[in-house]
């Protein structure tokens, strides 16, 4: 067996290159950034050698850039015309993980980090090709390349075409879907121009989706050796019309290589006992005693009536349609009563930002709409709220419900994607469960779930406290899921 292994993969520890468009703490707009940080760290603990390849965006804070060292540079051709572009490699080792940032000011000086599809498509064509080129340049050939979302979806295609006969061509690829809503769609001519890839790829099995358009994610899914997504339920859902975002047929066709592996969270960062951002840190043994102090501090900071008996409901979210905010908007006034306070932290679509600001003005001292991205406030809301709302229309995995449970805050979620896989509904007869859930995407069902939760909180505190303790004990770490990724990588290594 072992002889056979050596013939296929490289001997020694498994080597994995992660390629993606964002990564905490350098640059994060959502859960992808969390996963790109925590999964490599968890794999290193399991003996894997990891490199993470990221764009060196201008918007990465200087304190990180100051610690990067220059590892080399070269020119790379891109586009149908074979134009050449500079590729610089800036390296940084943080917590045992090697990060290689691809430096190019033409592509990465704009955006936060995203700009708009017209600019982002060339940006990520360049990024995908440069990522493979730097692995060759660094002479570091991984066994597996783990690619994330549409921004890295060209990697499997370049790997089996332009790079097939180069050293990195020995690697296998896994493409992970974090969110199928974003796919990198543009005119065939635009993608052909920027990728410089051969004509035969611009047909229906790979990039083409209609007479005039091409889809980067679709091509990557066709070419990847394996596809993963971030929960078992989402892996099923995306093969249906409702959740498939137009790619359900394509995913169904490729279903043999598709697998759902649920995300975890980094339990060192999200540790309520050692969290320096909390006014009153706590563990399982003193959560019931300490949570009220965190709640009071949160109320004080946000200008809410300071009263630990209130049922404080948090929402920490990108404010987009995905997150079920129209349901919240529909029931907002019905949800409010004298026992309830609501804290919203998020940025996104203007109409949701405005709606939540409006509710703040209607319910002074009871509602706070903090329309910002603020890591430290997020920690305090996870700790100081009683419940956290996640009524998503679709949710590939969702991390906020995992963080909430880890902080002893009870999630109220819709049963979709990873929310369904991670939050077991409270059963009033057996007393089991982790949170309050509803199934169909209907406002009255969300209202009912909030009311059921509030009822238990106000009138059956023993059951509520039991949920809090169960949530804190739940294993939401990366260990188990990282083992599943490793198993998959080992299968590919052969
Ligand atoms: P998504 O990736 O779809 O946005 P996730 O639940 O997977 O959703 O991840 C969201 C991550 O972003 C979590 O770590 C959450 O705490 C964080 N987050 C979202 N909005 C904010 C905000 N306004 N301020 C701070 N953190 C936020
Ligand atoms: C996406 C999804 C979210 C998931 C995250 C990390 O942004 O919307 O559900 O948790 O990626 O995988």
């Amino acid at each position: 067996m072992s002889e056979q292994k050596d013939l296929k993969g490289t001997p020694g520890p498994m080597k994995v290159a992660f390629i993606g468009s964002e990564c905490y703490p350098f640059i994060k707009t959502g859960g992808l950034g969390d996963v790109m940080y925590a999964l490599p760290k968890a794999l290193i603990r399991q003996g894997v050698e990891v490199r993470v390849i990221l764009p060196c965006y201008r918007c990465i804070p200087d304190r990180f850039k100051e610690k990067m060292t220059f590892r080399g540079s070269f020119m790379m051709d891109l586009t149908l015309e074979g134009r050449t572009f500079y590729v610089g490699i800036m390296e940084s080792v943080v917590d045992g993980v090697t990060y290689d940032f691809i430096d190019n000011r033409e592509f990465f000086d704009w955006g936060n980090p995203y700009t708009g599809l017209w600019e982002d498509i060339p940006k990520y064509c360049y990024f995908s090709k440069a990522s493979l080129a730097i692995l060759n340049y660094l002479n570091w050939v991984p066994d597996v390349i783990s690619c994330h979302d549409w921004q890295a979806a060209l990697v499997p295609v370049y790997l089996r075409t332009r790079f097939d006969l180069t050293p990195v061509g020995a690697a296998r690829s896994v493409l992970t879907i974090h969110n199928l809503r974003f796919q990198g769609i543009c005119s065939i001519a635009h993608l052909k121009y920027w990728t410089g890839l051969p004509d035969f790829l611009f047909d229906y099995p790979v990039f083409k989706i209609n007479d005039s358009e091409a889809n980067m994610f679709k091509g990557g899914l066709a070419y990847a050796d394996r596809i993963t997504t971030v929960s078992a339920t989402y892996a099923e859902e995306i093969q249906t019309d409702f959740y498939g975002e137009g790619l359900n047929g394509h995913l169904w066709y490729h279903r043999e290589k598709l697998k759902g592996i649920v995300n975890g969270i980094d339990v060192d960062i999200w540790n309520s006992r050692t969290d320096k951002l909390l006014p009153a840190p706590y563990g399982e043994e003193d959560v019931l005693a300490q949570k009220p102090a965190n709640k009071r501090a949160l109320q004080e900071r946000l200008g809410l009536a300071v009263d630990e008996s209130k049922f404080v409901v948090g929402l920490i979210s990108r404010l987009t349609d995905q997150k079920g905010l129209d349901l919240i908007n529909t029931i907002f006034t019905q949800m409010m009563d004298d026992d309830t306070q609501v804290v919203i932290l998020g940025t996104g679509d203007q109409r949701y930002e405005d709606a939540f600001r409006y509710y703040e003005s209607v319910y002074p001292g009871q509602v706070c709409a903090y329309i910002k991205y603020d890591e430290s406030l997020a920690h305090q809301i996870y700790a100081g709220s009683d419940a956290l709302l996640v009524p998503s229309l679709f949710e590939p995995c969702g991390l906020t419900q995992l963080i909430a449970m880890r902080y002893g805050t009870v999630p109220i979620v819709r049963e979709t994607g990873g929310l369904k896989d991670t939050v077991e509904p409270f059963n009033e007869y057996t007393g089991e469960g982790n949170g309050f859930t509803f199934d169909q995407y209907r406002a009255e069902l969300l209202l009912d779930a909030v009311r059921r939760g509030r009822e238990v909180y106000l009138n059956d505190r023993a059951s509520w406290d039991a949920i809090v303790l169960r949530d804190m004990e739940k294993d939401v770490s990366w260990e188990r899921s990282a083992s599943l990724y490793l198993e998959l990588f080992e299968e590919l290594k052969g």
Side-chain angles (χ1 to χ4, degrees):
M1 272 310 276
S2 66
E3 269 176 31
Q4 213 181 13
K5 216 173 195 173
D6 290 351
L7 279 178
K8 283 193 173 175
T10 46
M14 165 78 66
K15 288 159 89 175
V16 181
F18 275 76
I19 302 180
S21 60
E22 55 181 86
C23 181
Y24 176 88
F26 312 105
I27 178 83
K28 163 177 158 184
T29 70
L32 169 63
D34 291 310
V35 174
M36 287 289 293
Y37 169 74
L39 177 55
K41 260 180 71 187
L43 284 168
I44 286 178
R45 280 197 294 275
Q46 306 204 6
V48 178
E49 263 182 48
V50 177
R51 276 191 122 88
V52 181
I53 302 176
L54 300 164
C56 194
Y57 302 112
R58 186 183 183 151
C59 58
I60 293 176
D62 284 344
R63 65 179 190 281
F64 297 118
K65 288 200 174 135
E66 281 154 14
K67 294 199 184 113
M68 296 178 188
T69 54
F70 177 72
R71 275 297 305 268
S73 69
F74 54 90
M75 297 302 285
M76 177 186 81
D77 73 289
L78 188 76
T79 73
L80 269 185
E81 298 163 349
R83 279 164 63 185
T84 56
F85 292 89
Y86 172 83
V87 181
I89 309 169
M90 302 300 292
E91 199 164 277
S92 198
V93 180
V94 181
D95 297 336
V97 183
T98 303
Y99 295 92
D100 287 309
F101 295 88
I102 297 181
D103 186 28
N104 178 299
R105 301 197 50 183
E106 269 168 282
F107 290 108
F108 300 140
D109 259 13
W110 288 269
N112 204 11
Y114 310 116
T115 316
L117 263 191
W118 186 254
E119 291 92 8
D120 285 351
I121 281 177
K123 186 192 280 186
Y124 295 112
C125 288
Y126 164 85
F127 172 61
S128 298
K129 191 169 184 192
S131 297
L132 292 174
I134 72 162
L135 289 171
N136 278 339
Y137 180 89
L138 294 169
N139 198 16
W140 197 83
V141 176
D143 297 292
V144 176
I145 304 183
S146 170
C147 317
H148 296 264
D149 269 354
W150 75 268
Q151 295 92 342
L154 288 183
V155 171
V157 187
Y158 273 123
L159 185 66
R160 288 283 76 84
T161 53
R162 297 280 186 241
F163 289 82
D164 203 28
L165 301 176
T166 72
V168 75
R172 314 297 299 274
S173 65
V174 177
L175 179 54
T176 298
I177 303 170
H178 294 265
N179 193 334
L180 203 56
R181 175 138 296 181
F182 309 103
Q183 301 179 356
I185 296 176
C186 62
S187 73
I188 291 176
H190 194 49
L191 193 63
K192 234 185 215 183
Y193 175 79
W194 278 103
T195 57
L197 283 168
D199 281 353
F200 75 88
L201 294 171
F202 293 86
D203 209 341
Y204 282 110
V206 190
F207 290 124
K208 187 169 175 169
I209 51 169
N210 57 42
D211 283 348
S212 58
E213 288 177 308
N215 180 329
M216 287 167 67
F217 219 161
K218 178 166 178 272
L221 295 168
Y223 265 72
D225 292 302
R226 294 296 172 84
I227 302 166
T228 66
T229 187
V230 289
S231 68
T233 294
Y234 194 58
E236 293 300 319
E237 287 174 340
I238 54 179
Q239 297 177 55
T240 67
D241 227 16
F242 185 79
Y243 295 98
E245 306 284 348
L247 287 184
N248 40 306
H250 190 63
L251 286 159
W252 184 82
Y253 180 80
H254 288 286
R255 67 192 178 285
E256 293 297 321
K257 57 179 189 180
L258 169 64
K259 184 182 173 133
I261 303 178
V262 76
N263 289 332
I265 54 170
D266 189 292
V267 291
D268 297 329
I269 293 179
W270 299 108
N271 182 340
S272 55
R273 224 179 246 123
T274 55
D275 191 334
K276 293 199 172 60
L277 299 166
L278 301 191
Y282 55 93
E284 281 149 43
E285 65 295 343
D286 58 352
V287 55
L288 301 176
Q290 293 299 338
K291 225 170 193 299
N294 288 292
K295 186 192 283 192
R296 287 195 303 270
L298 180 69
Q299 290 167 327
E300 221 160 274
R301 175 171 175 185
L302 299 180
L304 299 174
V306 179
D307 180 346
E308 64 184 56
S309 72
K310 300 287 183 210
F311 182 57
V312 176
V313 181
L315 172 79
I316 300 176
S317 182
R318 287 184 293 116
L319 302 181
T320 68
D321 288 338
Q322 173 190 343
K323 300 295 179 179
L325 305 170
D326 50 345
L327 298 189
I328 299 182
N329 201 7
T330 308
I331 61 150
F332 206 97
T333 49
Q334 289 162 280
M335 174 174 75
M336 293 310 294
D337 67 8
D338 287 347
D339 294 316
T340 307
Q341 294 184 346
V342 177
V343 174
I344 295 138
L345 172 63
T347 57
D349 295 356
Q350 186 78 44
R351 65 196 170 104
Y352 293 127
E353 294 187 352
D354 290 347
F356 291 130
R357 283 197 183 105
Y358 167 76
Y359 293 123
E360 181 181 75
S361 72
V362 175
Y363 298 98
Q366 251 190 302
V367 173
C368 171
Y370 206 91
I371 308 298
K372 287 227 167 68
Y373 187 91
D374 187 322
E375 294 272 345
S376 91
L377 181 58
H379 283 247
Q380 290 166 15
I381 296 174
Y382 285 120
S385 305
D386 297 298
L388 189 92
L389 279 185
V390 201
S392 307
L393 173 62
F394 68 96
E395 197 60 75
C397 178
L399 300 178
T400 62
Q401 83 283 10
L402 301 180
I403 302 170
M405 288 190 277
R406 171 99 176 133
Y407 275 47
T409 298
V410 177
I412 300 176
V413 308
R414 186 167 95 83
E415 293 164 18
T416 183
L419 298 171
K420 184 172 179 189
D421 294 351
T422 57
V423 181
E424 192 197 323
F426 173 66
N427 179 327
E428 57 181 306
Y429 303 106
T430 64
E432 288 163 352
N434 305 100
F436 294 84
T437 74
F438 62 103
D439 52 7
Q440 293 169 44
Y441 192 73
R442 285 172 34 203
E444 68 272 25
L445 298 186
L446 167 61
L447 181 60
D448 179 61
V450 173
R451 284 181 174 156
R452 278 185 281 129
R454 184 169 52 207
E455 175 63 23
V456 176
Y457 176 81
L458 294 174
N459 298 321
D460 182 5
R461 189 57 68 85
S463 296
W464 182 269
D465 291 347
I467 305 175
V468 168
L469 291 175
R470 207 161 31 244
D471 283 353
M472 287 196 81
E473 280 160 13
K474 188 177 162 74
D475 181 8
V476 290
S477 76
W478 262 107
E479 296 319 301
R480 204 177 145 268
S481 295
S483 309
L484 296 174
Y485 274 97
L486 185 53
E487 246 170 54
L488 179 78
F489 297 161
E490 266 159 4
E491 266 171 43
L492 282 175
K493 187 176 174 186

